[in-house]
Structure formats: structure tokens, C-alpha cells
């Protein structure tokens, strides 16, 4: 992973954390948590693929 990609993931995580803190309803929090999970899967796709094959 190059540094630009790592920086992009870090910036997106920071944005989502702020959005999660600002969420006022459970629905908003769930949506942000889903986005965070999707980001995690995207950032660590190789690991998730290996686990799926096991």
C-alpha cells in the first residue's frame, strides 16, 4: 500500500469518527458504523479474502 492510499484511509476514518460523534440518532450511528466497516474491508481486502478462503 502506498502512502497516498494510507493517508486517504486515515483521512476517511477521521471524517467518519467525527460524523459518528455528531450523529444524533441510533439510525445515523448505524449508518456511519456501516461505512466504517466497509472502509475497513476495503483497506484490508487481502486479509478478508484470505480469511474467507479458510
Amino acid at each position: 500500500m502506498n502512502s497516498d492510499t494510507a493517508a486517504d484511509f486515515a483521512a476517511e476514518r477521521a471524517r467518519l469518527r467525527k460524523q459518528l460523534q455528531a450523529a444524533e440518532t441510533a439510525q445515523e450511528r448505524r449508518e456511519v458504523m456501516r461505512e466504517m466497516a466497509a472502509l475497513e474491508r476495503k483497506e484490508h481486502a487481502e486479509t478478508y479474502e484470505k480469511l474467507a478462503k479458510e
Side-chain angles (χ1 to χ4, degrees), residues 6-51:
D8 291 343
F9 285 124
E12 182 66 8
R13 268 194 308 279
R15 183 189 70 78
L16 288 169
R17 279 194 301 270
K18 287 179 184 177
Q19 193 174 345
L20 185 60
Q21 290 174 343
E24 295 181 0
T25 66
Q27 178 64 30
E28 289 173 337
R29 288 188 291 275
R30 279 192 297 272
E31 290 173 10
V32 175
M33 292 300 290
R34 285 186 188 113
E35 288 183 52
M36 293 174 92
L39 179 66
E40 174 74 14
R41 286 189 302 273
K42 183 177 177 183
E43 184 176 10
H44 300 288
E46 292 176 9
T47 302
Y48 282 91
E49 288 173 17
K50 286 179 187 177
L51 289 172

